[in-house]
Amino acid sequence: MLVNQLQPASLGSYQLKSPLYQAALSGYSDYPMRVIAAKLGATYTLCEVMIDRMIVQSKQGKQHAMMYCHQDEFPVGGQLMGSEPEEFGPAAQRLVEAGFHVIDINFGCPVKKVMSRCRGGYHLGQPEVALEIISRVRDAVPEHLPVTLKMRRGIDDTAESEDHFFRIFDGAYERGLAAITVHGRTVHQKYVGPSNWEFLKRVKQHAGQKTVIGSGDLFSPQACIDMLRVTHVDGVSIARGAIGNPWIFQQTADLLNGRQISPPDVEEQRTVITEHFEIASTFHGEKKVCNTMRKFGIFYSELHPQRKAVRDAFIAVKNREQWLDVLKQWYSENAPGIFPVVEEPNPLSIEKPAN
């Protein structure tokens, strides 16, 4: 079936107007980024991943910045990662108390430090432990709140790894999970090489009516549409492609609705960057905001027609005045924007669609 229009999506009890989600991004998907993404078309956003032990051991009443969830965010998910099954349930309860509407479990992170501590993608190699974690979280979270899972297609490309994947995948739905996000790379691949969309297609066929979200190689609106078309997943979780380019959500929706798209012009970029900076200033405080926003500025610069000079200017920013100077120097005069340079398209994205 050809994907040619925007379709609503289900996430447990939530009915979302589109299948376009912002993924959990360590070091990025804080409250300010989520607000901007939601304004520009993300119908579901995730907080950056949190360690279960950190949540459980934090002082009563003292909430870590990553646990912040504003009452106007809806729905927003809190993502958990850890090593010991018994710590997941209490941590999930804390996230519910903090106001998150969805609790997501991370079995996908491939970072060496995470793997060495038996967290994230490490659990894909031990299905029984993984399923115990899933059960403990689902049992700890009120029934009306969705619990979801993020996983990669396996530790590696072996048959054993694939067997482990499907044991966890099927077992998660049997234990009441509302949706599973699948990244098309293995843990050993990390972020090297193409995401295997053929595997995602096979996973969705296997899942039937169960909700499967696709992840991997989503750096442009066309790539998001191609994943929906090629794999038939129910939604797409946009990660690195959304950093500094929150317009990707609205542009994808426009393409799906048959409208032409163009990159935001310099004036529109300035408006969004300014709003992002002001929200971040209030949230993080004046002392931290520039360090926090510098990394976003680097990505925002990719849409500016003078991208290299603007990137260098953002890198040099150390205080509010310098940030405002960059906007004054490079964003005062309007001009057409440019689309960010994207990685090579997934080979499957150029296949002729199935009827």
Side-chain angles (χ1 to χ4, degrees):
M1 182 172 66
L2 191 63
V3 175
N4 56 11
Q5 62 181 5
L6 192 68
Q7 299 286 346
S10 297
L11 188 64
S13 58
Y14 306 133
Q15 297 300 309
L16 309 177
K17 63 182 180 181
S18 88
L20 310 176
Y21 310 153
Q22 181 199 274
L25 290 154
S26 293
Y28 287 96
S29 59
D30 56 5
Y31 169 66
M33 181 181 180
R34 300 196 306 268
V35 169
I36 297 299
K39 285 189 174 184
L40 289 170
T43 56
Y44 170 57
T45 62
L46 276 157
C47 179
E48 52 190 309
V49 65
M50 291 171 274
I51 306 300
D52 54 4
R53 186 168 299 172
M54 176 198 77
I55 297 172
V56 172
Q57 294 179 352
S58 62
K59 294 181 180 179
Q60 187 67 28
K62 182 178 180 181
Q63 195 175 79
H64 193 282
M66 287 193 294
M67 292 175 63
Y68 180 80
C69 177
H70 194 274
Q71 61 182 3
D72 292 339
E73 291 189 273
F74 183 83
V76 59
Q79 189 178 86
L80 282 174
M81 183 167 66
S83 58
E84 302 301 328
E86 62 270 17
E87 293 180 333
F88 274 83
Q93 290 177 329
R94 290 292 302 275
L95 292 185
V96 171
E97 293 166 3
F100 289 99
H101 311 103
V102 181
I103 306 302
D104 189 58
I105 305 167
N106 184 314
F107 287 169
C109 184
V111 175
K112 182 177 179 180
K113 181 173 68 173
V114 170
M115 295 289 290
S116 67
R117 295 176 181 175
C118 305
R119 298 169 177 162
Y122 182 89
H123 293 299
L124 296 181
Q126 46 180 13
E128 296 308 318
V129 174
L131 293 174
E132 181 183 354
I133 290 170
I134 291 168
S135 293
R136 285 176 179 265
V137 174
R138 181 63 276 182
D139 290 345
V141 173
E143 187 175 351
H144 69 283
L145 295 182
V147 173
T148 58
L149 175 65
K150 168 67 180 293
M151 58 193 302
R152 286 184 170 233
R153 64 181 175 89
I155 294 289
D156 52 33
D157 286 315
T158 63
E160 180 185 36
S161 183
E162 183 171 315
D163 178 66
H164 287 171
F165 172 91
F166 281 104
R167 284 177 62 192
I168 296 169
F169 185 83
D170 292 337
Y173 286 118
E174 291 169 359
R175 286 159 175 77
L177 265 59
I180 298 177
T181 298
V182 181
H183 190 294
R185 292 186 181 89
T186 65
V187 172
H188 284 179
Q189 270 187 279
K190 296 183 179 178
Y191 299 100
V192 178
S195 174
N196 189 333
W197 289 9
E198 182 60 41
F199 182 80
L200 295 183
K201 180 179 180 180
R202 185 153 56 92
V203 166
K204 178 54 189 172
Q205 290 173 338
H206 175 83
Q209 296 301 309
K210 301 179 181 70
T211 300
V212 178
I213 311 302
S215 174
D217 289 347
L218 300 176
F219 292 99
S220 70
Q222 188 61 54
C224 296
I225 293 174
D226 289 339
M227 177 178 280
L228 290 168
R229 172 177 58 81
V230 170
T231 70
H232 303 292
V233 292
D234 302 283
V236 290
S237 180
I238 307 172
R240 292 176 292 161
I243 303 173
N245 185 21
W247 293 275
I248 192 172
F249 300 103
Q250 185 59 58
Q251 290 168 350
T252 303
D254 286 343
L255 275 183
L256 283 168
N257 283 323
R259 294 189 287 268
Q260 292 186 338
I261 63 171
S262 60
D265 61 29
V266 170
E267 182 177 340
E268 185 178 353
Q269 292 176 41
R270 177 185 177 123
T271 298
V272 170
I273 294 171
T274 299
E275 182 178 9
H276 192 164
F277 185 84
E278 292 305 324
I279 296 172
S281 295
T282 301
F283 184 70
H284 293 292
E286 291 295 330
K287 291 184 178 181
K288 295 182 178 180
V289 66
C290 285
N291 284 338
T292 300
M293 284 298 296
R294 186 182 296 112
K295 58 192 176 185
F296 284 104
I298 292 170
F299 282 95
Y300 275 122
S301 70
E302 291 296 305
L303 286 78
H304 195 283
Q306 302 294 326
R307 58 158 59 104
K308 186 179 185 304
V310 177
R311 174 189 173 92
D312 292 343
F314 276 127
I315 290 174
V317 166
K318 295 182 180 178
N319 54 50
R320 171 181 282 271
E321 289 70 28
Q322 292 175 352
W323 183 275
L324 296 177
D325 285 343
V326 172
L327 294 183
K328 182 177 180 181
Q329 179 178 359
W330 295 104
Y331 290 86
S332 290
E333 294 186 12
N334 199 13
I338 59 176
F339 286 114
V341 176
V342 300
E343 297 184 8
E344 289 297 315
N346 190 294
L348 280 179
S349 69
I350 59 175
E351 285 188 353
K352 187 176 180 179
N355 294 323

